[in-house]
Amino acid sequence: MTPLAAIPGSRRTNRRLWLAYAGCCLLAWCLFVLAGSEFDRGLDPFWLAVYQATTMLWAPMLLGIAIWPLARRLHGSDAGFAAAAMAHILAAVAFSALWQAGEFAVNATLFGTDHAGAVLVAGLLWRSVWGLVVYAAIATAFGAVLQARSARSAAIAAAQAESALARAELSAISGKLNPHFLFNTLNTLIALTRKDPAGAEAALLKFASMLRYVLDTKRGTEDRVMLGDEIEFLRDYLALEALRLGTRLRVDWDLEERVLADELPPLTLQPLVENSILHAVAPRKGGGRVTITARRNALNHGLDLAVADDGPGCEPEALEPQPGQRRGVGLAALRKRFALDYDGQARLRIHTAPGAGFRVDLFIPQT
């Protein structure tokens, strides 16, 4: 059981609790006065009702405060139903006895012990019953408050656990993206070292810049980078691929200057471009064209991104992951990343068909 002191806003909720208790006590006092008043007979019956309500209700109102720690202790303990019921029965008897003792003390002070004793004997039975009823009402109300707090605490804990799970899953997804990219880049460097040492040296400089970018942005699941930095990283990557593919790789840039300061998760575009090169450019003798677009969304001022190619495309059903199939790992990871990140407000949509190329549209909200 979560301690009440550990519940966020516990002091504020306790203040509301006691304000509500005071309001209920005032309401009960007013109803008692109204029930005993006879306004058609003047003010004397009214003042008598005020006196009776005050002398009779002050004790249960104060004693009701003592029920709270008992209810809280029983609610937080592992005591069984029988033990809790017995504790409440004993507390109810004590509540009723102390109520009558308090009223006897007031009457004895004001009118003497003989009068106080006569009042006590005359109302002993019905006041004992009323003591049990009032205790049950107050204890039930406090129990409902405690149950509501426990439910709220459990809901908060569940939400925190779900958030932690999403962050852990997002971290795992991000961790899959970077090694996949680095593995492919190293293979490219090895191939260039054998065929073109001068080109390999230029590629190593590009790779060093890319590696610095990857290491600098691998800080956490909530890390964001400027689109301009992501584009510079992507230009280095494409320059590296161009050393391997030559004129077979053609790239069109359609970037609005005003969105280059927008923020997005690092390594968002590179897996999409890599997929286009892998499936639409590298396998074809004539190569292919990759188009990268970044624009301001006219409706909600978010960031619209798109990576498209003129490759063979595929059936949309072929994008579903198959057992043992590695194709589209980066795309699947990005899809999962955007499902978890930005509270579900980011979007990833795929447009493809056989012979119609492949296009991925991204929407990233901006604060």
Side-chain angles (χ1 to χ4, degrees):
M1 186 67 62
T2 302
L4 289 177
I7 298 176
S10 178
R11 293 182 179 178
R12 184 167 49 191
T13 54
N14 279 340
R15 188 181 302 113
R16 289 198 298 264
L17 168 68
W18 294 120
L19 286 175
Y21 180 80
C24 290
C25 290
L26 179 61
L27 177 62
W29 183 87
C30 292
L31 292 175
F32 194 102
V33 171
L34 290 175
S37 299
E38 299 179 24
F39 294 103
D40 57 342
R41 296 178 56 188
L43 291 178
D44 289 342
F46 171 74
W47 291 116
L48 178 61
V50 170
Y51 162 76
Q52 291 176 339
T54 304
T55 57
M56 291 182 60
L57 297 182
W58 72 269
M61 289 178 180
L62 291 180
L63 291 171
I65 299 174
I67 300 176
W68 171 252
L70 174 64
R72 186 170 58 180
R73 182 170 183 177
L74 291 176
H75 180 77
S77 68
D78 296 329
F81 174 79
M86 181 58 65
H88 277 301
I89 290 173
L90 295 176
V93 172
F95 179 89
S96 180
L98 290 172
W99 181 357
Q100 297 186 66
E103 187 175 356
F104 176 84
V106 171
N107 288 330
T109 302
L110 296 176
F111 305 107
T113 57
D114 291 340
H115 174 79
V119 173
L120 177 64
V121 173
L124 181 63
L125 179 60
W126 72 267
R127 288 178 182 174
S128 298
V129 173
W130 267 109
L132 299 178
V133 172
V134 171
Y135 175 89
I138 296 175
T140 300
F142 283 156
V145 171
L146 291 168
Q147 289 289 352
R149 288 190 180 185
S150 295
R152 178 174 177 270
S153 178
I156 291 174
Q160 290 174 343
E162 184 177 356
S163 177
L165 180 61
R167 287 196 300 269
E169 189 171 358
L170 190 55
S171 296
I173 290 169
S174 299
K176 290 179 182 178
L177 288 175
N178 297 349
H180 177 66
F181 155 70
L182 293 175
F183 176 77
N184 289 341
T185 302
L186 286 173
N187 279 341
T188 301
L189 286 173
I190 292 173
L192 284 174
T193 302
R194 296 171 180 171
K195 298 178 180 179
D196 184 2
E201 182 178 356
L204 281 172
L205 293 176
K206 297 290 185 183
F207 178 69
S209 176
M210 294 163 59
L211 184 59
R212 186 181 302 108
Y213 179 85
V214 171
L215 295 177
D216 287 345
T217 57
K218 193 174 177 58
R219 290 189 290 267
T221 60
E222 298 181 356
D223 191 27
R224 301 288 185 261
V225 296
M226 292 177 56
L227 175 62
D229 295 334
E230 183 84 353
I231 293 298
E232 289 303 315
F233 167 79
L234 196 57
R235 289 184 189 277
D236 287 341
Y237 170 77
L238 288 169
L240 180 62
E241 290 286 27
L243 292 174
R244 177 172 64 94
L245 298 171
T247 58
R248 295 169 57 208
L249 173 60
R250 297 177 292 279
V251 181
D252 290 336
W253 299 91
D254 184 8
L255 310 175
E256 288 187 355
E257 188 73 22
R258 57 177 177 168
V259 301
L260 294 180
D262 286 5
E263 294 185 339
L264 73 166
L267 297 178
T268 294
L269 296 174
Q270 187 274 331
L272 301 178
V273 174
E274 181 180 356
N275 278 341
S276 291
I277 293 174
L278 179 63
H279 302 297
V281 179
R284 300 159 66 192
K285 290 184 178 181
R289 184 178 302 277
V290 179
T291 303
I292 300 158
T293 306
R295 295 181 178 277
R296 172 73 65 227
N297 188 289
L299 295 178
N300 49 36
H301 304 289
L303 175 61
D304 282 332
L305 299 171
V307 175
D309 62 59
D310 58 355
C314 65
E315 293 287 352
E317 294 78 9
L319 297 175
E320 297 299 325
Q322 302 296 326
Q325 185 180 23
R326 296 187 58 187
R327 180 180 179 180
V329 172
L331 184 60
L334 273 179
R335 189 197 299 269
K336 189 66 173 177
R337 172 197 259 183
F338 280 94
L340 293 172
D341 208 353
Y342 290 99
D343 296 325
Q345 298 181 18
R347 295 191 300 269
L348 185 152
R349 294 176 179 173
I350 299 173
H351 308 276
T352 186
F358 197 92
R359 178 186 176 96
V360 178
D361 290 324
L362 299 175
F363 169 75
I364 302 176
Q366 301 294 309
T367 56

